[in-house]
């Protein structure tokens, strides 16, 4: 499995507040599906970071683009494959 860091940058603060509960529900569901490792907001209000796992970038991108924040125009995103040096999340694989 590969890991992808997805930066969600603020696009529309009002929409971000309005759709926050939908966004968090989406992340909780994807975490239960094994697609999300960790997520959180930047305390300076610039957006947030989500760590996804998947076999291929395109498959992860399809999941990211289902996020209500992306679909409803609250945030933009930038995705990068991450070569993690710690075995905290991948131990036992």
């Amino acid at each position: 499995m590969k890991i992808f860091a997805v930066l969600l940058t603020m696009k529309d603060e009002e929409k971000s507040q309005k759709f926050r509960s939908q966004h968090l529900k989406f992340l909780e569901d994807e975490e239960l599906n094994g697609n999300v490792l960790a997520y959180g907001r930047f305390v300076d209000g610039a957006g947030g970071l989500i760590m996804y796992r998947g076999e291929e970038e395109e498959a992860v991108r399809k999941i990211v683009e289902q996020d209500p924040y992306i679909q409803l125009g609250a945030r933009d995103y930038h995705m990068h494959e991450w070569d993690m040096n710690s075995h905290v999340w991948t131990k036992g694989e």
Side-chain angles (χ1 to χ4, degrees):
M1 282 284 181
K2 297 176 183 176
I3 298 174
F4 297 88
V6 177
L7 298 162
L8 294 182
T9 53
M10 186 64 69
K11 185 175 178 181
D12 186 316
E13 197 169 329
E14 186 176 315
K15 286 182 180 179
S16 289
Q17 287 298 320
K18 183 176 180 178
F19 302 121
R20 181 172 172 75
S21 62
Q22 291 171 276
H23 165 70
L24 292 175
K25 172 70 169 117
F26 169 80
L27 292 177
E28 290 169 7
D29 290 347
E30 291 305 318
E31 187 174 31
L32 289 173
N33 291 335
N35 296 322
V36 169
L37 296 171
Y39 57 91
R41 66 179 186 87
F42 297 129
V43 295
D44 66 0
L49 173 68
I50 306 166
M51 303 304 290
Y52 285 91
R53 61 187 278 175
E55 294 293 337
E56 297 298 328
E57 182 174 341
E58 193 54 37
V60 172
R61 187 175 305 281
K62 286 180 182 179
I63 295 169
V64 171
E65 290 178 353
Q66 293 174 30
D67 186 330
Y69 268 1
I70 303 303
Q71 288 187 338
L72 299 169
R75 306 278 176 100
D76 284 323
Y77 76 93
H78 304 280
M79 185 166 74
H80 304 274
E81 185 176 345
W82 188 42
D83 185 14
M84 183 175 60
N85 290 318
S86 172
H87 294 287
V88 174
W89 288 331
T90 59
K91 189 174 182 178
E93 289 186 7

